[in-house]
Amino acid sequence: EAFADMASTPRHPRYYTRYGNPVHERVIKIMSELEGTETALVTGSGMGAIATTLLSLVRAGDHVIAQNRHYMSTAKIMDEMLPRFGVEVTVVEQADTAAFEEAIRPNTKLIMVETPANPTLVVTDLEAVVKLAKSRGILVVCDNTFASPINQRPHDYGVDVVVHSATKYLGGHHDLTAGVICTSNELAEQIWQTHLSLGSVLSPMDAWLLLRGLRTLPMRMKQINANALALAEFLENQPQVEKVFYPGLPSHPQHELAKRQMKGFGAVIAFSIKGGYEETRRFVSSLKISRHAVSLGGVDSLVVHTAAMWAGTMTEEQMRTSGIQPNFVRFSTGIEHIEDLKADVKQALQSI
């Protein structure tokens, strides 16, 4: 009887790990409190969280509005996967709230936003988008990975589902892969049913590592926010740098919006090197402290030459739409001493 009860109880933590796990249960409690939602779900990766959410909430005949700048795998879901299943997708400029309104149709079911957006750090006005959606019964999903719940809480603005790649800030040590979906009990039940079938399961060990990361999240974010802002200000004054994109800088076109909806501006700085692809390659290769690696939000600074990273997985048109230029660098600031980071960046810039 006890076993039958476990088998029929949604998300029971002790029946089967694909259904739930005691360590998952603890992560869920912490993440729902951090994001201010009723509950949460955990998945094996950030894309597991995003794909599971989208495939749970839309069906053939529905219409989705997405941004023209998303994480590349999210963009591929919008461009390739959803249309295969009969879901129409309209892509809009996320800095233009009017574009969201103009794209709404009678069959619009969901709006997907990501703010700040990867990799160009364009900011989406959450309050304005939610206002448009709520009056029409449209769900809003927000990828909050680039901000973290320490810097931004989309649910406070009425966002229905908040997703994270917990591989990034939440884990914080570049040693796990995980995703989190924060939402209401009602939507969690619907999403969980799809999760069972798709099987993007978070291993108990990675869930335990995620718990470890969450314990230091506020401390790490405080240092990361301070380092990134200082480094962004430093980069703006370097003659080899063409332009710096960071929401914490007054030069960012949406700085006032970022200040209004964010408490801090995160690790990621995007900037363009004067010259082209070759000069940018030399700069990235000359860095000594920052690791040349994919990911972000951990204790170590990471850097990627975005055109080199995504050229093999995105078409030239997709790269142009996403704002990826040949001389574009994405720098994820860690918790190292800021003077060490500045010195490393300076010597690398001098190498070009």
Side-chain angles (χ1 to χ4, degrees):
E1 289 176 354
F3 188 77
D5 181 63
M6 285 193 293
S8 60
T9 301
R11 295 192 285 157
H12 197 289
R14 290 171 177 79
Y15 170 61
Y16 186 58
T17 292
R18 183 156 51 88
Y19 284 59
N21 180 278
V23 194
H24 292 178
E25 191 176 37
R26 182 63 181 156
V27 173
I28 285 167
K29 184 176 188 300
I30 293 170
M31 282 306 305
S32 57
E33 289 180 358
L34 279 172
E35 285 289 5
T37 57
E38 289 181 336
T39 190
L41 298 168
V42 291
T43 61
S45 69
M47 282 314 303
I50 292 168
T52 300
T53 296
L54 292 173
L55 293 174
S56 301
L57 300 180
V58 298
R59 62 182 64 191
D62 286 341
H63 174 244
V64 170
I65 300 172
Q67 301 180 170
N68 60 1
R69 293 175 179 87
H70 273 296
Y71 178 59
M72 64 177 180
S73 295
T74 305
K76 279 185 170 291
I77 288 178
M78 299 300 177
D79 293 342
E80 301 170 12
M81 182 182 292
L82 291 184
R84 287 209 311 267
F85 294 110
V87 177
E88 295 179 285
V89 179
T90 299
V91 176
V92 301
E93 167 54 56
Q94 63 265 38
D96 182 6
T97 302
F100 284 94
E101 185 169 22
E102 291 168 5
I104 293 173
R105 303 177 187 175
N107 62 331
T108 302
K109 180 67 179 291
L110 183 147
I111 298 175
M112 178 76 193
V113 299
E114 175 183 331
T115 182
N118 184 20
T120 53
L121 303 174
V122 181
V123 179
T124 306
D125 190 332
L126 292 173
E127 187 175 18
V129 171
V130 168
K131 185 177 180 180
L132 289 174
K134 290 298 181 186
S135 62
R136 297 168 172 85
I138 299 168
L139 295 172
V140 179
V141 177
C142 178
D143 183 343
N144 200 32
T145 299
F146 262 48
S148 89
I150 302 300
N151 287 336
Q152 178 175 271
R153 300 214 316 173
H155 185 67
D156 290 348
Y157 296 93
V159 168
D160 299 286
V161 184
V162 182
V163 294
H164 284 274
S165 171
T167 312
K168 313 299 192 301
Y169 295 114
L170 304 180
H173 293 78
H174 308 303
D175 58 4
L176 66 93
T177 305
V180 181
I181 305 165
C182 301
T183 188
S184 65
N185 289 322
E186 180 182 358
L187 287 176
E189 177 66 20
Q190 183 178 343
I191 295 167
W192 180 73
Q193 295 294 341
T194 303
H195 169 65
L196 279 183
S197 300
L198 295 179
S200 177
V201 181
L202 178 61
S203 76
M205 183 64 192
D206 277 355
W208 182 84
L209 289 171
L210 180 52
L211 279 177
R212 174 214 56 187
L214 288 170
R215 292 187 185 105
T216 61
L217 178 63
M219 296 169 59
R220 287 186 289 103
M221 291 309 303
K222 182 179 180 181
Q223 184 67 29
I224 283 170
N225 287 338
N227 275 359
L229 180 57
L231 189 61
E233 291 170 342
F234 173 78
L235 283 163
E236 276 201 313
N237 294 310
Q238 301 310 301
Q240 302 92 342
V241 176
E242 188 175 86
K243 189 169 180 59
V244 181
F245 305 86
Y246 186 68
L249 293 175
S251 59
H252 190 284
Q254 297 164 294
H255 178 60
E256 292 303 317
L257 170 60
K259 285 199 302 183
R260 190 166 71 242
Q261 70 184 29
M262 301 180 74
K263 295 179 181 178
F265 306 105
V268 181
I269 308 166
F271 55 98
S272 50
I273 299 291
K274 286 182 180 176
Y277 187 98
E278 181 57 29
E279 288 81 3
T280 308
R281 184 198 65 78
R282 285 204 302 272
F283 165 74
V284 170
S285 299
S286 299
L287 288 165
K288 300 182 187 306
I289 293 176
S290 307
R291 301 185 183 191
H292 190 187
V294 180
S295 200
L296 60 101
V299 294
D300 301 307
S301 292
L302 304 180
V303 62
V304 290
H305 182 185
T306 54
M309 178 175 69
W310 285 337
T313 57
M314 297 177 75
T315 66
E316 288 187 9
E317 176 60 30
Q318 287 172 327
M319 289 177 68
R320 278 195 299 272
T321 300
S322 297
I324 300 169
Q325 302 299 323
N327 62 340
F328 211 71
V329 175
R330 191 186 79 183
F331 192 101
S332 171
T333 316
I335 64 170
E336 302 93 344
H337 196 289
I338 184 58
E339 295 306 323
D340 291 337
L341 290 176
K342 287 180 182 178
D344 188 33
V345 167
K346 191 173 186 66
Q347 65 82 23
L349 286 171
Q350 290 171 345
S351 73
I352 64 176

